Coordinates of all heavy atoms in Angstrom, one line a residue:
Chain I
W25 N -87.2 -13.2 195.6 CA -88.6 -13.0 195.2 C -88.8 -13.7 193.8 O -88.0 -13.6 192.9 CB -89.0 -11.6 195.2 CG -88.9 -10.9 196.5 CD1 -88.0 -9.9 196.9 CD2 -89.8 -11.1 197.5 NE1 -88.3 -9.4 198.1 CE2 -89.4 -10.2 198.6 CE3 -90.9 -12.0 197.8 CZ2 -90.0 -10.1 199.9 CZ3 -91.5 -11.9 199.1 CH2 -91.2 -11.0 200.0
A26 N -90.0 -14.2 193.6 CA -90.4 -14.6 192.2 C -90.9 -13.3 191.6 O -91.2 -12.4 192.2 CB -91.6 -15.6 192.4
P27 N -90.8 -13.2 190.2 CA -91.2 -12.1 189.5 C -92.7 -11.8 189.7 O -93.1 -10.6 189.9 CB -91.0 -12.6 188.0 CG -90.1 -13.7 188.0 CD -90.2 -14.4 189.3
A28 N -93.5 -12.8 190.0 CA -94.9 -12.5 190.3 C -95.6 -13.9 190.8 O -94.9 -14.9 190.4 CB -95.6 -12.0 189.0
P29 N -96.6 -13.8 191.4 CA -97.3 -12.7 192.0 C -96.6 -12.2 193.3 O -95.6 -12.8 193.7 CB -98.7 -13.2 192.4 CG -98.5 -14.7 192.7 CD -97.4 -15.2 191.7
P30 N -97.0 -11.1 193.8 CA -96.3 -10.5 195.0 C -96.3 -11.5 196.2 O -97.3 -12.2 196.5 CB -97.2 -9.3 195.4 CG -98.1 -9.0 194.2 CD -98.2 -10.3 193.5
G31 N -95.3 -11.5 196.9 CA -95.2 -12.3 198.1 C -94.6 -13.7 197.9 O -94.4 -14.4 198.9
V32 N -94.5 -14.1 196.7 CA -93.9 -15.5 196.3 C -92.4 -15.4 196.3 O -91.8 -14.5 195.7 CB -94.5 -15.9 195.0 CG1 -93.8 -17.3 194.7 CG2 -96.0 -16.0 195.0
F33 N -91.8 -16.3 197.0 CA -90.3 -16.4 197.1 C -89.9 -17.8 197.0 O -90.6 -18.7 197.3 CB -89.7 -15.7 198.3 CG -90.1 -16.4 199.6 CD1 -89.3 -17.2 200.2 CD2 -91.3 -16.1 200.1 CE1 -89.6 -17.8 201.4 CE2 -91.7 -16.7 201.4 CZ -90.8 -17.6 202.0
S34 N -88.6 -18.1 196.6 CA -88.2 -19.4 196.6 C -86.7 -19.5 197.0 O -85.9 -18.5 196.8 CB -88.3 -20.1 195.1 OG -87.7 -19.2 194.2
F35 N -86.4 -20.6 197.6 CA -85.0 -20.9 198.0 C -84.2 -21.5 196.9 O -84.7 -22.1 196.0 CB -85.0 -21.8 199.2 CG -85.6 -21.3 200.4 CD1 -87.0 -21.5 200.7 CD2 -84.9 -20.7 201.4 CE1 -87.6 -21.0 201.8 CE2 -85.5 -20.1 202.5 CZ -86.8 -20.3 202.7
S36 N -83.0 -21.2 196.9 CA -82.0 -21.9 196.0 C -81.7 -23.3 196.5 O -81.5 -23.5 197.6 CB -80.7 -21.1 195.9 OG -79.6 -22.0 195.7
S37 N -81.7 -24.3 195.5 CA -81.6 -25.6 195.9 C -80.2 -25.8 196.5 O -80.0 -26.6 197.5 CB -81.7 -26.5 194.7 OG -81.6 -27.8 195.0
R38 N -79.2 -25.1 195.9 CA -77.9 -25.3 196.4 C -77.6 -24.5 197.7 O -76.9 -25.1 198.6 CB -76.9 -24.7 195.3 CG -75.5 -24.9 195.6 CD -74.5 -24.4 194.5 NE -73.8 -25.4 193.9 CZ -73.9 -26.0 192.7 NH1 -74.8 -25.6 191.9 NH2 -73.1 -27.0 192.3
N39 N -78.1 -23.4 197.9 CA -77.8 -22.6 199.1 C -78.8 -22.4 200.2 O -78.7 -21.6 201.1 CB -77.3 -21.3 198.6 CG -76.1 -21.3 197.7 OD1 -75.3 -22.1 197.9 ND2 -76.2 -20.5 196.6
K40 N -79.9 -23.2 200.1 CA -80.9 -23.1 201.1 C -80.6 -23.2 202.5 O -81.1 -22.7 203.5 CB -82.1 -24.0 200.7 CG -81.7 -25.5 200.8 CD -82.8 -26.4 200.3 CE -82.5 -27.9 200.3 NZ -81.2 -28.2 199.7
D41 N -79.5 -24.1 202.8 CA -79.0 -24.3 204.1 C -78.3 -23.1 204.7 O -78.1 -23.1 205.9 CB -78.3 -25.6 204.2 CG -79.2 -26.9 204.2 OD1 -80.1 -26.9 205.0 OD2 -78.8 -27.8 203.4
Q42 N -77.7 -22.3 203.8 CA -77.0 -21.2 204.2 C -78.0 -20.2 205.0 O -77.6 -19.7 206.0 CB -76.3 -20.5 203.0 CG -75.3 -19.5 203.5 CD -74.7 -18.9 202.2 OE1 -74.3 -19.7 201.3 NE2 -74.2 -17.6 202.2
V43 N -79.1 -19.9 204.3 CA -80.0 -18.9 205.0 C -80.6 -19.6 206.4 O -80.8 -18.9 207.4 CB -81.2 -18.6 204.0 CG1 -81.9 -19.7 203.5 CG2 -82.1 -17.6 204.7
A44 N -80.8 -21.0 206.4 CA -81.2 -21.7 207.6 C -80.2 -21.5 208.6 O -80.5 -21.3 209.8 CB -81.5 -23.1 207.2
A45 N -78.9 -21.7 208.3 CA -77.7 -21.5 209.2 C -77.8 -20.1 209.9 O -77.5 -20.0 211.0 CB -76.4 -21.9 208.6
L46 N -78.0 -19.1 209.1 CA -78.1 -17.7 209.5 C -79.2 -17.6 210.5 O -79.0 -16.9 211.5 CB -78.1 -16.8 208.4 CG -76.9 -16.6 207.5 CD1 -77.2 -15.7 206.3 CD2 -75.8 -16.0 208.3
W47 N -80.3 -18.2 210.2 CA -81.4 -18.2 211.1 C -81.2 -18.8 212.5 O -81.4 -18.2 213.5 CB -82.6 -18.9 210.4 CG -83.8 -19.2 211.2 CD1 -84.3 -20.4 211.5 CD2 -84.6 -18.3 212.1 NE1 -85.4 -20.4 212.3 CE2 -85.6 -19.1 212.7 CE3 -84.6 -17.0 212.3 CZ2 -86.6 -18.6 213.6 CZ3 -85.6 -16.4 213.1 CH2 -86.4 -17.2 213.7
G48 N -80.5 -19.9 212.4 CA -80.1 -20.5 213.6 C -79.2 -19.7 214.4 O -79.3 -19.6 215.7
Q49 N -78.2 -19.1 213.8 CA -77.3 -18.2 214.4 C -78.0 -17.0 215.1 O -77.6 -16.6 216.2 CB -76.2 -17.7 213.4 CG -75.2 -18.8 213.1 CD -74.2 -18.3 212.0 OE1 -74.0 -17.1 211.8 NE2 -73.8 -19.2 211.1
R50 N -78.9 -16.4 214.4 CA -79.6 -15.3 214.8 C -80.4 -15.5 216.1 O -80.5 -14.7 217.0 CB -80.5 -14.7 213.7 CG -81.2 -13.5 214.0 CD -80.3 -12.2 214.0 NE -80.2 -11.6 212.7 CZ -81.2 -10.7 212.3 NH1 -82.1 -10.3 213.1 NH2 -81.1 -10.1 211.1
K51 N -80.9 -16.7 216.2 CA -81.6 -17.2 217.3 C -80.8 -17.5 218.5 O -81.2 -17.7 219.6 CB -82.6 -18.3 216.9 CG -83.8 -18.0 216.1 CD -84.8 -17.2 216.8 CE -85.6 -18.0 217.9 NZ -86.4 -19.1 217.3
G52 N -79.5 -17.7 218.2 CA -78.5 -18.1 219.2 C -78.7 -19.7 219.6 O -78.3 -20.2 220.7
N53 N -79.2 -20.4 218.6 CA -79.3 -21.9 218.7 C -77.9 -22.6 219.0 O -76.9 -22.1 218.4 CB -79.9 -22.5 217.5 CG -81.4 -22.1 217.4 OD1 -81.9 -21.4 218.1 ND2 -82.0 -22.7 216.4
K54 N -78.0 -23.6 219.8 CA -76.7 -24.3 220.0 C -76.4 -25.2 218.9 O -75.2 -25.4 218.4 CB -76.8 -25.1 221.3 CG -76.9 -24.2 222.6 CD -77.1 -24.9 223.8 CE -77.2 -24.0 225.1 NZ -77.5 -24.6 226.2
R55 N -77.4 -25.9 218.4 CA -77.2 -26.8 217.2 C -77.5 -26.0 215.9 O -78.4 -25.1 215.9 CB -78.1 -28.0 217.4 CG -77.9 -28.7 218.7 CD -78.8 -30.0 218.7 NE -78.5 -30.9 217.7 CZ -79.2 -32.0 217.4 NH1 -80.2 -32.3 218.2 NH2 -78.9 -32.8 216.5
P56 N -76.8 -26.4 214.8 CA -77.1 -25.7 213.6 C -78.4 -26.0 213.0 O -79.0 -27.0 213.0 CB -76.0 -26.3 212.7 CG -75.5 -27.5 213.3 CD -75.8 -27.5 214.8
M57 N -79.0 -24.8 212.5 CA -80.4 -24.9 211.9 C -80.1 -25.5 210.4 O -79.1 -25.2 209.8 CB -81.0 -23.6 211.8 CG -82.4 -23.4 211.1 SD -83.5 -24.7 211.7 CE -83.7 -24.3 213.4
T58 N -81.1 -26.2 209.9 CA -81.1 -26.7 208.5 C -82.3 -26.4 207.8 O -83.3 -26.0 208.5 CB -80.9 -28.2 208.6 OG1 -82.1 -28.8 209.1 CG2 -79.7 -28.7 209.3
Y59 N -82.3 -26.5 206.4 CA -83.5 -26.2 205.7 C -84.6 -27.2 206.1 O -85.8 -26.8 206.2 CB -83.3 -26.4 204.2 CG -84.6 -26.2 203.4 CD1 -85.1 -24.9 203.2 CD2 -85.3 -27.2 202.9 CE1 -86.3 -24.7 202.5 CE2 -86.4 -27.1 202.2 CZ -87.0 -25.7 202.0 OH -88.1 -25.6 201.4
Q60 N -84.4 -28.4 206.4 CA -85.4 -29.4 206.8 C -86.1 -28.9 208.0 O -87.4 -28.9 208.1 CB -84.8 -30.7 207.0 CG -85.8 -31.6 207.6 CD -85.3 -33.2 207.6 OE1 -85.9 -34.0 208.3 NE2 -84.3 -33.5 206.8
K61 N -85.4 -28.4 209.0 CA -86.0 -28.0 210.3 C -86.7 -26.7 210.2 O -87.8 -26.4 210.6 CB -85.0 -27.9 211.4 CG -84.4 -29.3 211.8 CD -83.5 -29.2 213.1 CE -82.2 -28.7 212.6 NZ -81.2 -28.8 213.8
M62 N -86.1 -25.8 209.4 CA -86.7 -24.5 209.1 C -88.0 -24.6 208.3 O -89.0 -23.9 208.5 CB -85.7 -23.5 208.4 CG -86.1 -22.1 208.3 SD -85.0 -21.1 207.3 CE -85.1 -21.8 205.7
S63 N -88.0 -25.5 207.3 CA -89.2 -25.7 206.5 C -90.4 -26.1 207.3 O -91.5 -26.0 207.0 CB -88.9 -26.6 205.3 OG -88.5 -27.8 205.7
R64 N -90.1 -26.9 208.4 CA -91.2 -27.4 209.3 C -91.9 -26.2 209.8 O -93.1 -26.2 210.0 CB -90.6 -28.2 210.4 CG -91.6 -28.8 211.4 CD -92.6 -29.8 210.8 NE -93.6 -30.2 211.6 CZ -94.8 -29.6 211.6 NH1 -95.1 -28.6 210.7 NH2 -95.9 -30.1 212.4
A65 N -91.2 -25.2 210.3 CA -91.7 -24.0 210.8 C -92.5 -23.3 209.8 O -93.6 -22.7 210.0 CB -90.6 -23.1 211.4
L66 N -92.0 -23.3 208.5 CA -92.7 -22.6 207.5 C -94.1 -23.3 207.2 O -95.2 -22.7 206.9 CB -91.9 -22.7 206.2 CG -90.7 -21.7 206.1 CD1 -89.9 -21.9 204.8 CD2 -91.2 -20.3 206.2
R67 N -94.2 -24.6 207.4 CA -95.4 -25.4 207.2 C -96.4 -24.9 208.4 O -97.5 -24.9 208.2 CB -95.1 -26.9 207.3 CG -95.0 -27.5 205.9 CD -94.5 -29.0 205.9 NE -93.1 -29.0 205.7 CZ -92.3 -29.8 206.4 NH1 -92.6 -30.4 207.5 NH2 -91.0 -29.8 206.0
N68 N -95.9 -24.7 209.6 CA -96.7 -24.3 210.6 C -97.4 -22.9 210.2 O -98.5 -22.6 210.8 CB -96.0 -24.2 211.9 CG -95.6 -25.5 212.6 OD1 -96.4 -26.4 212.4 ND2 -94.6 -25.4 213.4
Y69 N -96.7 -22.1 209.4 CA -97.2 -20.8 209.1 C -98.5 -20.9 208.2 O -99.3 -20.0 208.2 CB -96.2 -20.0 208.3 CG -95.2 -19.3 209.3 CD1 -93.9 -19.1 208.7 CD2 -95.5 -18.9 210.5 CE1 -92.9 -18.5 209.5 CE2 -94.6 -18.3 211.3 CZ -93.3 -18.1 210.8 OH -92.3 -17.5 211.6
A70 N -98.8 -22.0 207.7 CA -100.0 -22.3 207.0 C -101.2 -22.3 207.9 O -102.3 -21.8 207.6 CB -100.0 -23.6 206.2
R71 N -100.9 -22.7 209.1 CA -102.0 -22.7 210.2 C -102.3 -21.3 210.7 O -103.4 -20.9 210.9 CB -101.6 -23.7 211.4 CG -101.5 -25.1 210.9 CD -101.2 -26.0 212.2 NE -102.2 -26.0 213.3 CZ -103.3 -26.7 213.1 NH1 -103.6 -27.5 212.2 NH2 -104.2 -26.6 214.1
S72 N -101.2 -20.6 210.8 CA -101.4 -19.2 211.4 C -101.8 -18.2 210.3 O -102.1 -17.1 210.5 CB -100.2 -18.8 212.2 OG -99.0 -18.8 211.4
G73 N -101.6 -18.7 209.0 CA -101.9 -17.8 207.9 C -100.9 -16.9 207.5 O -101.1 -15.7 206.8
H74 N -99.6 -17.0 207.9 CA -98.6 -16.1 207.6 C -97.9 -16.3 206.2 O -97.7 -15.4 205.5 CB -97.4 -16.1 208.7 CG -97.8 -15.4 210.0 ND1 -98.1 -16.2 211.2 CD2 -98.0 -14.1 210.2 CE1 -98.4 -15.3 212.1 NE2 -98.3 -14.0 211.6
I75 N -97.6 -17.6 206.0 CA -97.0 -18.0 204.8 C -97.6 -19.3 204.3 O -98.0 -20.2 205.1 CB -95.4 -18.2 205.0 CG1 -94.8 -16.9 205.3 CG2 -94.8 -19.0 203.8 CD1 -93.3 -17.0 205.6

Side-chain angles (χ1 to χ4, degrees):
Chain I
W25 295 112
V32 176
F33 65 99
S34 58
F35 294 89
S36 150
S37 182
R38 186 177 239 111
N39 300 318
K40 59 189 185 306
D41 282 315
Q42 190 174 323
V43 56
L46 286 173
W47 164 237
Q49 285 172 30
R50 185 74 91 84
K51 288 290 289 295
N53 291 2
K54 290 172 184 178
R55 304 181 60 184
M57 179 51 63
T58 63
Y59 176 79
Q60 172 168 163
K61 293 186 284 186
M62 188 181 70
S63 64
R64 179 72 186 92
L66 289 176
R67 268 174 256 131
N68 283 336
Y69 280 150
R71 294 181 64 79
S72 60
H74 287 108
I75 292 175

